[in-house]
Amino acid sequence: MNTSEVNRFNELYERHLKTLKLQGKAQKTIDAYSRAIRRVRDYFDCCPDKLEPEQLENYFADLVESHSWSTVKIDRLGLQHFWKYVLKKEWNWLNIVKPRKVKTIPDILTPNEVEKLIGATRKLRYRVFLLTTYSMGLRLGEALSLQVRDVDAARKIVHIRRGKGHKDRLIPLPERTLIGLRELWKRHQHPKLLFPNAKGSLETIREAKSHMDRGGVQNAMKVVVADCGIKKKSPYTLCATVLPPICLKMA
């Protein structure tokens, strides 16, 4: 792209980000939709506002060959948002690309498998994290974002803030989970986070600005699942399934 095209793209891109933020989109959605715009720009080496439907048909035909249907769907939604709210154009995107619908039944770990999984997890922070996630039926991001203030030990409830759909909710807190959280907090004593970034010394962890790495948690679970011989299609995906009480050894 020449200088004028680069400037034009940057202007439209910033407007795209602004509209996403003003609509209250989650940060993950903003990142995904923005990535879609950058991807199509790099593919054609031009500002996307010049593209015609036929060009986008060819683009998505190639994208289907090189990426998952999930990526195709997200990119379509990102470009659709860009055309509608930034370029002020209305196109029938279903005529350009219509990702296929795949109906599958998710693999969910049984209570016995989860108990085995937690028992085999060596590091305390991952063991307590898995117990917290499964015993209260939390999503991965919800568990990672938990803060000390969210736990009401007296009433045995946990305040989940800005969960799916940006909604808050209260979740019953099992006694064993409370014990595990207390034991973990005694180790790091972070003033805010229950699952702070665990890199560095205890002093560094106590001053961490972010929670544990999402990928690190998933990788740790994959290793434990393999060690336990549990075979699922997506063993590292944390399922929101509330379980009966699970014993937890802190040693």
Side-chain angles (χ1 to χ4, degrees):
M1 292 192 298
N2 55 40
T3 302
S4 61
E5 285 184 318
V6 171
N7 292 336
R8 172 65 175 166
F9 173 79
N10 290 338
E11 177 186 345
L12 294 175
Y13 186 76
E14 290 300 320
R15 196 184 306 168
H16 179 65
L17 292 175
K18 184 177 181 180
T19 59
L20 289 169
K21 292 177 181 178
L22 290 175
Q23 290 178 13
K25 300 293 186 184
Q27 188 58 50
K28 287 177 60 177
T29 301
I30 294 176
D31 292 342
Y33 284 14
S34 301
R35 185 164 51 248
I37 304 304
R38 297 195 304 272
R39 200 194 321 269
V40 76
R41 173 205 60 186
D42 295 340
Y43 181 90
F44 290 102
D45 192 29
C46 72
C47 189
D49 65 333
K50 296 181 178 181
L51 300 177
E52 297 295 330
E54 293 77 14
Q55 291 175 288
L56 288 170
E57 286 178 2
N58 294 331
Y59 169 74
F60 278 107
D62 286 347
L63 195 66
V64 166
E65 295 296 327
S66 59
H67 292 74
S68 68
W69 272 106
S70 176
T71 298
V72 173
K73 179 180 178 180
I74 291 173
D75 275 27
R76 193 204 68 157
L77 292 173
L79 290 171
Q80 180 175 314
H81 182 279
F82 183 78
W83 253 259
K84 182 176 181 180
Y85 295 102
V86 178
L87 302 183
K88 308 297 183 181
K89 295 181 180 180
E90 291 288 350
W91 282 355
N92 189 346
W93 283 86
L94 292 182
N95 290 338
I96 297 176
V97 58
K98 183 179 180 180
R100 62 188 178 187
K101 293 182 178 180
V102 180
K103 295 183 179 180
T104 59
I105 299 176
D107 285 324
I108 298 177
L109 300 180
T110 65
N112 287 338
E113 287 175 329
V114 174
E115 185 171 359
K116 183 178 180 181
L117 188 69
I118 294 173
T121 304
R122 297 179 180 87
K123 292 186 178 181
L124 180 64
R125 63 177 180 272
Y126 291 140
R127 198 186 318 159
V128 176
F129 180 82
L130 292 178
L131 175 64
T132 301
T133 303
Y134 278 106
S135 67
M136 294 192 293
L138 303 181
R139 296 174 178 82
L140 178 60
E142 292 173 341
L144 284 171
S145 302
L146 283 176
Q147 298 189 16
V148 176
R149 63 177 179 140
D150 297 331
V151 178
D152 187 335
R155 295 194 295 162
K156 298 290 179 62
I157 58 174
V158 172
H159 188 168
I160 305 302
R161 302 177 189 276
R162 295 179 64 80
K164 188 173 182 179
H166 299 281
K167 296 180 180 179
D168 286 14
R169 67 185 192 279
L170 298 176
I171 299 293
L173 174 62
E175 179 65 27
R176 283 292 178 181
T177 305
L178 175 59
I179 293 174
L181 289 171
R182 279 175 170 167
E183 185 67 21
L184 178 64
W185 187 84
K186 288 179 183 177
R187 300 286 182 91
H188 62 68
Q189 296 185 19
H190 195 284
K192 293 183 178 180
L193 301 175
L194 285 176
F195 298 104
N197 190 311
K199 293 183 179 180
S201 64
L202 281 176
E203 290 185 1
T204 302
I205 296 173
R206 195 170 295 130
E207 298 175 356
K209 303 300 182 182
S210 62
H211 54 61
M212 289 194 304
D213 177 64
R214 187 186 188 95
V217 173
Q218 292 177 321
N219 289 333
M221 187 176 181
K222 287 174 66 175
V223 172
V224 179
V225 167
D227 291 343
C228 291
I230 299 174
K231 296 182 179 180
K232 299 285 183 179
K233 293 179 182 178
S234 302
Y236 51 88
T237 301
L238 299 180
C239 305
T241 306
V242 180
L243 300 171
I246 296 174
C247 294
L248 176 70
K249 295 181 180 178
M250 294 300 166

